[in-house]
């Protein structure tokens, strides 16, 4: 399975620990195309790339992936954009979010994809594992 | 001209004054389908709507609009989602943002639409007016 992982970068890194845990889990199921999103040094890693280069690279990875997994607890223009882009390509989409967050209606009210809310990182791990095990990819 | 105005709701209301100014300007050019986004009481107005109702209503307005104008200074899943959705429908898109903000590469690196950065609300007003005057709709 090829994964695209969507997480906030400029929108805020409060959920970085969760991003790292999700990435560790996804690596047991396949390849993460954009591993840098869960890297604490992502802004340093990308500092020599223009925004246009980043955009083109990420769009190509979304086209290439089988499953887009998005952590949506932190508001982010890029994550919202990527979810809609992947939805339009008919990709499998899994959105996970902290139970304490009141998520956007544009994501929470959309019946086209799987939403997983979690109480803590163990709960997330269990629910995401169940979902990944159920995929026929 | 029919406008869809995209601005953060749950992502944060720091730019509400700017949303109101943009809406006043757009009303001189046509109809804003989703006037509630620039209303200080938006969350009260929508409190009896389910997320699914909001999603379906907003998607229908995006389909109906001629131009989507997004204020992208505040990170927002919904705004990112709406921009990609409108882009995919081939809508005219204008994104405006505060000059002090380092915007997402998924928006800033996308060559499919117009980006306007502004120093203050007068600067925004002048630049947005020029852009609206240049549209052939």
């Amino acid at each position: 399975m090829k994964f695209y992982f969507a997480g906030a970068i400029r929108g805020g890194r409060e959920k970085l620990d969760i991003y790292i845990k999700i990435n560790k889990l996804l690596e047991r199921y396949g390849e993460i195309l954009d591993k840098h999103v869960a890297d604490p040094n992502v802004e340093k890693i990308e500092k020599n790339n223009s925004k246009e280069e980043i955009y083109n690279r990420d769009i190509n990875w979304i086209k290439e992936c089988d499953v887009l997994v998005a952590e949506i607890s932190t508001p982010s223009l890029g994550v919202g954009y990527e979810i809609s882009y992947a939805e339009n390509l008919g990709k499998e989409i899994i959105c996970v979010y902290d139970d304490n967050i009141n998520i956007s209606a544009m994501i929470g009210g959309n019946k086209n994809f799987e939403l997983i809310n979690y109480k803590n990182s163990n709960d997330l791990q269990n629910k995401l594992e169940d979902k990944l095990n159920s995929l026929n990819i």
Side-chain angles (χ1 to χ4, degrees), chain A:
Chain A
M1 257 189 263
K2 285 185 186 172
F3 295 104
Y4 186 90
F5 175 67
I9 297 175
R10 290 169 193 78
R13 300 292 279 169
E14 296 83 359
K15 289 287 181 188
L16 179 60
D17 287 353
I18 291 284
Y19 299 172
I20 293 170
K21 278 180 183 145
I22 293 170
N23 275 247
K24 278 194 183 143
L25 179 60
L26 297 181
E27 279 177 338
R28 286 177 26 215
Y29 287 82
E31 183 193 354
I32 301 163
L33 299 171
D34 59 330
K35 284 173 121 170
H36 64 286
V37 177
D39 190 304
N41 298 312
V42 60
E43 294 200 81
K44 268 191 208 159
I45 292 169
E46 290 190 331
K47 76 170 190 252
N48 293 323
N49 296 110
S50 71
K51 284 194 160 76
E52 198 173 349
E53 284 167 346
I54 296 173
Y55 177 81
N56 290 329
R57 179 199 65 191
D58 289 2
I59 288 296
N60 283 329
W61 277 333
I62 294 174
K63 289 177 179 164
E64 191 185 339
C65 80
D66 302 303
V67 185
L68 179 140
V69 177
E71 212 292 343
I72 59 168
S73 307
T74 307
S76 159
L77 281 168
V79 173
Y81 185 93
E82 290 163 351
I83 291 171
S84 171
Y85 201 99
E87 182 187 2
N88 187 255
L89 295 175
K91 299 288 177 179
E92 180 79 38
I93 298 173
I94 305 169
C95 293
V96 308
Y97 64 98
D98 188 316
D99 214 18
N100 296 315
I101 304 284
N102 183 12
I103 56 164
S104 167
M106 299 312 287
I107 309 298
N110 184 333
K111 296 294 161 199
N112 294 338
F113 44 75
E114 182 83 13
L115 288 172
I116 295 175
N117 64 336
Y118 63 84
K119 290 190 174 34
N120 53 48
S121 70
N122 282 345
D123 186 36
L124 169 60
Q125 174 123 352
N126 293 335
K127 288 175 173 170
L128 187 51
E129 223 162 5
D130 285 349
K131 176 63 191 170
L132 292 168
N133 288 336
S134 78
L135 294 178
N136 282 318
I137 293 172

